[in-house]
Structure formats: C-alpha cells, structure tokens
Amino acid sequence: MRLRLPAERPTEPPTGYKIAHPVLSQDGTRAGFTGVSLGGALPYGVLADASCVYGLRHRAPHRRCDCGFHCVHDRTVAEGLLCTAEHRSAVLLEVTVLGAYIRFERGFRYARQRVRTATVGPCSCGAVAAALADAGRGRPGWLALAPSCAGCVRGRTSVSLAAFARLAGEGLRVAAGSASARRVAELTGVEGLGVPELTAEAALLQARLDWFQTQLARLGERGPGEEGQAP
C-alpha cells in the first residue's frame, strides 16, 4: 500500500526566497537568472516553468527526482547562503511559488515560479551597487553579472539595476541592498548582528581609532630621535 502525501489547497500562492546569479544575453536584449546548484546550466526568466535537469520526460517536480525550482521559507536562511565565497556575487530573490509543489521542512520544490524582487548586494569593494557588470564568466550565449558600484564598472559590459529590471520584464523589481551593515560586519567579524550590536561595534572601532591617533600624536611630540632612549 502506497502512502500519499497530504494535498494542500492554499488560498494564495506561497512566497519563498532563493539566491541566483543574474545573467545578460550576448546581444544585450534579455536578462534572467541561473541557479547556484543543479539549475546553473539553464538560465530562466522572471516567469518560468521548471524542467528536469537530467533530461527525463516527467513533469517537475517529480517525487522520485530532485528536479524543479527550489526555494526556502525563511529570508534569513537564503541570505545566509550569500556568505559563502562562491555565492558572494549572487542576488537574493523573492519568488511566488506557482503550480504543483512539494513542501519540505525548510522550503519548496515546485513546478513554476514568478520572481517578484531581486535584491542586489554590495560591490566587491564594499560600496552600494549601482549596476550589474560582467563577472568574467558565463554560459554559451549568456554573460554572468555581478554587483558593481559606478567606480568599479570601468569598461566592462554592464547594465543599471533599472535596465536589468526592464530587460527581464514581467514587473520585476530590482533594488540595491545596504552595504553598510555587511561592510561593518566583515571588518569586525560579527556577521549576523543587528543594528544595535553593529552600532556598538562601530563605536568601539572609533574609540580604538582615537587611541591610535593619541599615541601617534605623542610620538610626534617626542620626535623621531627620542624613541627608546634611557632617561
């Protein structure tokens, strides 16, 4: 006797979160995303249907396969994936889960999705991103993009965040995430703290800077030839 999973009939489509790499078509007329794991070889648009990455003819998601789109329930879990080195240039997506889906403890595997918003992280220099620029890698016909500030774009192929949203279509909203909290966290080694904790860390850094400036001023008053002399 085969056990069946309970069927859900939600009044509105569920919301999920995931990370993905933004991509731009070679001719610059289309924008989309690629997954960070199994779906990395198949660029998808804002509104897209899943297919089996193994080329099998069953509909995704199939219970005996791991095909289909994937997302998690909790935004903070998806944000945590951006901490790994290989995902630092990915963007955070908020998606609407459409069609058939399989619910797991941490998220969904599902047949269709609509990307509602894409939040772009800071440039590699730490500044707030103003564009998505050529990341130096890609797939045949598609350039992978990475967050970039205006100063770091230089001569690379790039699109503004608004232009990326327009090329992607379907009402996608693209926004730049704040770089200040992440930058302070990286400098102090306290990633994951809230605003009060980060404010305290910033105050501590300022106090240390004041101490160093005081020490430098004292050395300047003694003169370069006086350091280390016995009284």
Side-chain angles (χ1 to χ4, degrees):
M1 189 170 144
R2 181 181 299 175
L3 296 177
R4 302 190 55 147
L5 295 174
E8 296 185 26
R9 296 289 185 269
T11 56
E12 58 184 27
T15 295
Y17 302 91
K18 62 193 301 182
I19 65 173
H21 293 291
V23 292
L24 180 70
S25 64
Q26 184 179 3
D27 59 7
T29 61
R30 293 175 295 160
F33 305 94
T34 59
V36 297
S37 55
L38 288 176
L42 301 173
Y44 58 85
V46 173
L47 182 62
D49 294 291
S51 59
C52 182
V53 295
Y54 302 108
L56 302 178
R57 295 183 179 181
H58 56 239
R59 292 183 179 181
H62 196 276
R63 288 182 59 186
R64 296 184 179 179
C65 185
D66 53 5
C67 59
F69 291 122
H70 295 71
C71 72
V72 295
H73 302 303
D74 193 343
R75 181 187 180 98
T76 57
V77 173
E79 289 176 334
L81 299 175
L82 297 171
C83 294
T84 62
E86 63 271 26
H87 298 156
R88 288 291 178 95
S89 61
V91 299
L92 176 68
L93 304 182
E94 179 182 332
V95 301
T96 298
V97 175
L98 302 172
Y101 62 81
I102 299 174
R103 181 188 291 272
F104 295 93
E105 180 181 359
R106 293 190 175 184
F108 299 100
R109 183 161 62 89
Y110 51 101
R112 199 165 191 248
Q113 73 177 8
R114 177 186 293 276
V115 181
R116 295 206 301 256
T117 62
T119 303
V120 180
C123 176
S124 59
C125 73
V128 175
L132 291 166
D134 183 6
R137 62 182 188 278
R139 304 292 303 175
W142 294 89
L143 293 175
L145 304 177
S148 177
C149 67
C152 293
V153 169
R154 299 177 182 174
R156 291 184 293 166
T157 299
S158 64
V159 291
S160 67
L161 303 188
F164 183 90
R166 184 176 67 253
L167 292 173
E170 299 289 348
L172 175 68
R173 299 192 304 272
V174 182
S178 173
S180 57
R182 180 179 293 186
R183 186 60 175 163
V184 172
E186 289 175 350
L187 290 173
T188 59
V190 290
E191 293 189 36
L193 298 186
V195 173
E197 292 87 353
L198 290 176
T199 301
E201 290 291 339
L204 178 59
L205 285 176
Q206 185 61 53
R208 290 175 177 172
L209 179 60
D210 292 341
W211 182 84
F212 279 114
Q213 289 176 334
T214 301
Q215 298 303 312
L216 289 173
R218 289 178 179 176
L219 290 175
E221 292 175 357
R222 293 173 59 184
E226 300 179 10
E227 185 177 355
Q229 293 181 2

Tab-separated table of all heavy atoms in Angstrom, residues 59-71 97 100-104 107-111:
chain	number	residue	atom	x	y	z
A	59	ARG	N	7.137	15.343	-15.482
A	59	ARG	CA	6.877	16.714	-15.066
A	59	ARG	C	7.608	17.009	-13.763
A	59	ARG	O	7.696	16.172	-12.876
A	59	ARG	CB	5.374	16.938	-14.865
A	59	ARG	CG	4.557	16.890	-16.151
A	59	ARG	CD	3.102	17.196	-15.845
A	59	ARG	NE	2.290	17.186	-17.060
A	59	ARG	CZ	0.987	17.435	-17.075
A	59	ARG	NH1	0.350	17.693	-15.935
A	59	ARG	NH2	0.332	17.415	-18.216
A	60	ALA	N	8.114	18.226	-13.684
A	60	ALA	CA	8.759	18.660	-12.433
A	60	ALA	C	7.699	19.346	-11.558
A	60	ALA	O	6.814	20.029	-12.077
A	60	ALA	CB	9.883	19.625	-12.759
A	61	PRO	N	7.743	19.138	-10.245
A	61	PRO	CA	8.709	18.307	-9.515
A	61	PRO	C	8.214	16.862	-9.402
A	61	PRO	O	7.055	16.623	-9.096
A	61	PRO	CB	8.730	18.968	-8.144
A	61	PRO	CG	7.323	19.480	-7.972
A	61	PRO	CD	6.842	19.883	-9.336
A	62	HIS	N	9.100	15.934	-9.652
A	62	HIS	CA	8.752	14.521	-9.548
A	62	HIS	C	9.214	13.996	-8.193
A	62	HIS	O	10.300	14.333	-7.736
A	62	HIS	CB	9.418	13.727	-10.671
A	62	HIS	CG	8.845	12.372	-10.874
A	62	HIS	ND1	9.237	11.275	-10.128
A	62	HIS	CD2	7.895	11.921	-11.746
A	62	HIS	CE1	8.562	10.214	-10.530
A	62	HIS	NE2	7.740	10.566	-11.510
A	63	ARG	N	8.392	13.163	-7.567
A	63	ARG	CA	8.708	12.686	-6.218
A	63	ARG	C	9.985	11.854	-6.179
A	63	ARG	O	10.681	11.824	-5.167
A	63	ARG	CB	7.543	11.864	-5.664
A	63	ARG	CG	6.321	12.687	-5.278
A	63	ARG	CD	5.238	11.803	-4.708
A	63	ARG	NE	5.704	11.074	-3.535
A	63	ARG	CZ	4.985	10.140	-2.917
A	63	ARG	NH1	3.795	9.808	-3.373
A	63	ARG	NH2	5.477	9.530	-1.857
A	64	ARG	N	10.305	11.161	-7.274
A	64	ARG	CA	11.481	10.297	-7.291
A	64	ARG	C	12.677	10.961	-7.974
A	64	ARG	O	13.621	10.291	-8.378
A	64	ARG	CB	11.132	8.988	-7.981
A	64	ARG	CG	10.074	8.198	-7.228
A	64	ARG	CD	9.815	6.855	-7.893
A	64	ARG	NE	8.813	6.084	-7.165
A	64	ARG	CZ	8.380	4.886	-7.529
A	64	ARG	NH1	8.880	4.327	-8.640
A	64	ARG	NH2	7.466	4.249	-6.826
A	65	CYS	N	12.638	12.263	-8.122
A	65	CYS	CA	13.735	13.016	-8.735
A	65	CYS	C	13.920	14.288	-7.916
A	65	CYS	O	13.084	14.635	-7.077
A	65	CYS	CB	13.391	13.331	-10.198
A	65	CYS	SG	14.719	14.135	-11.130
A	66	ASP	N	15.033	14.982	-8.125
A	66	ASP	CA	15.237	16.245	-7.411
A	66	ASP	C	15.095	17.438	-8.344
A	66	ASP	O	15.651	18.509	-8.099
A	66	ASP	CB	16.605	16.268	-6.715
A	66	ASP	CG	17.747	15.953	-7.675
A	66	ASP	OD1	17.495	15.808	-8.875
A	66	ASP	OD2	18.897	15.858	-7.202
A	67	CYS	N	14.345	17.265	-9.452
A	67	CYS	CA	14.147	18.345	-10.416
A	67	CYS	C	13.139	19.359	-9.875
A	67	CYS	O	12.441	19.120	-8.892
A	67	CYS	CB	13.679	17.784	-11.752
A	67	CYS	SG	12.135	16.849	-11.648
A	68	GLY	N	13.052	20.491	-10.566
A	68	GLY	CA	12.138	21.557	-10.164
A	68	GLY	C	12.881	22.733	-9.565
A	68	GLY	O	14.060	22.647	-9.227
A	69	PHE	N	12.192	23.842	-9.455
A	69	PHE	CA	12.757	25.005	-8.767
A	69	PHE	C	12.813	24.723	-7.267
A	69	PHE	O	11.995	23.967	-6.736
A	69	PHE	CB	11.902	26.248	-9.019
A	69	PHE	CG	11.959	26.763	-10.433
A	69	PHE	CD1	10.813	26.878	-11.197
A	69	PHE	CD2	13.170	27.142	-10.993
A	69	PHE	CE1	10.877	27.356	-12.495
A	69	PHE	CE2	13.247	27.617	-12.289
A	69	PHE	CZ	12.086	27.730	-13.045
A	70	HIS	N	13.759	25.355	-6.599
A	70	HIS	CA	13.906	25.202	-5.154
A	70	HIS	C	13.913	26.574	-4.481
A	70	HIS	O	14.456	27.536	-5.032
A	70	HIS	CB	15.219	24.485	-4.797
A	70	HIS	CG	15.290	23.072	-5.279
A	70	HIS	ND1	15.435	22.735	-6.610
A	70	HIS	CD2	15.253	21.889	-4.587
A	70	HIS	CE1	15.485	21.420	-6.731
A	70	HIS	NE2	15.377	20.883	-5.527
A	71	CYS	N	13.329	26.657	-3.314
A	71	CYS	CA	13.408	27.881	-2.513
A	71	CYS	C	13.234	27.513	-1.044
A	71	CYS	O	12.849	26.379	-0.716
A	71	CYS	CB	12.358	28.913	-2.946
A	71	CYS	SG	10.661	28.484	-2.488
A	97	VAL	N	5.587	30.961	-5.496
A	97	VAL	CA	5.561	29.544	-5.863
A	97	VAL	C	4.245	29.252	-6.587
A	97	VAL	O	3.161	29.438	-6.029
A	97	VAL	CB	5.706	28.659	-4.612
A	97	VAL	CG1	5.558	27.187	-4.976
A	97	VAL	CG2	7.034	28.920	-3.935
A	100	ALA	N	2.236	22.983	-9.135
A	100	ALA	CA	2.401	21.912	-8.144
A	100	ALA	C	3.698	22.104	-7.370
A	100	ALA	O	4.699	22.576	-7.913
A	100	ALA	CB	2.417	20.557	-8.848
A	101	TYR	N	3.671	21.773	-6.095
A	101	TYR	CA	4.880	21.880	-5.283
A	101	TYR	C	4.913	20.778	-4.236
A	101	TYR	O	3.893	20.188	-3.889
A	101	TYR	CB	4.986	23.246	-4.613
A	101	TYR	CG	3.881	23.600	-3.644
A	101	TYR	CD1	3.888	23.128	-2.333
A	101	TYR	CD2	2.826	24.419	-4.036
A	101	TYR	CE1	2.877	23.460	-1.440
A	101	TYR	CE2	1.814	24.757	-3.155
A	101	TYR	CZ	1.844	24.278	-1.866
A	101	TYR	OH	0.833	24.599	-0.988
A	102	ILE	N	6.117	20.500	-3.775
A	102	ILE	CA	6.345	19.565	-2.681
A	102	ILE	C	6.945	20.361	-1.529
A	102	ILE	O	7.964	21.037	-1.710
A	102	ILE	CB	7.286	18.422	-3.097
A	102	ILE	CG1	6.681	17.627	-4.254
A	102	ILE	CG2	7.576	17.503	-1.912
A	102	ILE	CD1	7.606	16.560	-4.822
A	103	ARG	N	6.317	20.300	-0.389
A	103	ARG	CA	6.781	21.077	0.768
A	103	ARG	C	7.781	20.251	1.577
A	103	ARG	O	7.564	19.068	1.838
A	103	ARG	CB	5.608	21.474	1.649
A	103	ARG	CG	6.001	22.303	2.869
A	103	ARG	CD	4.813	22.498	3.794
A	103	ARG	NE	3.814	23.361	3.209
A	103	ARG	CZ	3.818	24.689	3.334
A	103	ARG	NH1	4.779	25.273	4.026
A	103	ARG	NH2	2.873	25.415	2.779
A	104	PHE	N	8.867	20.917	1.958
A	104	PHE	CA	9.859	20.312	2.837
A	104	PHE	C	9.954	21.138	4.114
A	104	PHE	O	9.301	22.171	4.259
A	104	PHE	CB	11.220	20.242	2.143
A	104	PHE	CG	11.243	19.336	0.948
A	104	PHE	CD1	11.009	19.830	-0.324
A	104	PHE	CD2	11.480	17.977	1.091
A	104	PHE	CE1	11.021	19.002	-1.424
A	104	PHE	CE2	11.488	17.134	-0.009
A	104	PHE	CZ	11.255	17.651	-1.266
A	107	GLY	N	11.646	24.453	2.913
A	107	GLY	CA	11.225	25.166	1.722
A	107	GLY	C	10.375	24.325	0.793
A	107	GLY	O	9.715	23.367	1.208
A	108	PHE	N	10.396	24.692	-0.497
A	108	PHE	CA	9.583	24.041	-1.511
A	108	PHE	C	10.449	23.554	-2.664
A	108	PHE	O	11.505	24.112	-2.956
A	108	PHE	CB	8.561	25.024	-2.107
A	108	PHE	CG	7.577	25.599	-1.122
A	108	PHE	CD1	7.762	26.868	-0.591
A	108	PHE	CD2	6.454	24.877	-0.740
A	108	PHE	CE1	6.848	27.415	0.290
A	108	PHE	CE2	5.531	25.421	0.146
A	108	PHE	CZ	5.731	26.687	0.662
A	109	ARG	N	9.954	22.533	-3.358
A	109	ARG	CA	10.422	22.154	-4.689
A	109	ARG	C	9.187	22.191	-5.554
A	109	ARG	O	8.190	21.528	-5.262
A	109	ARG	CB	11.077	20.768	-4.660
A	109	ARG	CG	11.646	20.344	-6.006
A	109	ARG	CD	12.680	19.219	-5.836
A	109	ARG	NE	12.150	18.003	-5.264
A	109	ARG	CZ	11.623	17.008	-5.979
A	109	ARG	NH1	11.534	17.112	-7.288
A	109	ARG	NH2	11.187	15.923	-5.373
A	110	TYR	N	9.237	22.952	-6.663
A	110	TYR	CA	7.975	23.297	-7.316
A	110	TYR	C	8.127	23.423	-8.830
A	110	TYR	O	9.232	23.413	-9.383
A	110	TYR	CB	7.429	24.591	-6.718
A	110	TYR	CG	8.422	25.734	-6.667
A	110	TYR	CD1	8.395	26.746	-7.614
A	110	TYR	CD2	9.399	25.782	-5.682
A	110	TYR	CE1	9.308	27.785	-7.581
A	110	TYR	CE2	10.311	26.812	-5.634
A	110	TYR	CZ	10.261	27.805	-6.580
A	110	TYR	OH	11.178	28.829	-6.540
A	111	ALA	N	6.973	23.559	-9.501
A	111	ALA	CA	6.922	23.473	-10.955
A	111	ALA	C	7.065	24.813	-11.666
A	111	ALA	O	7.593	24.876	-12.773
A	111	ALA	CB	5.602	22.832	-11.380
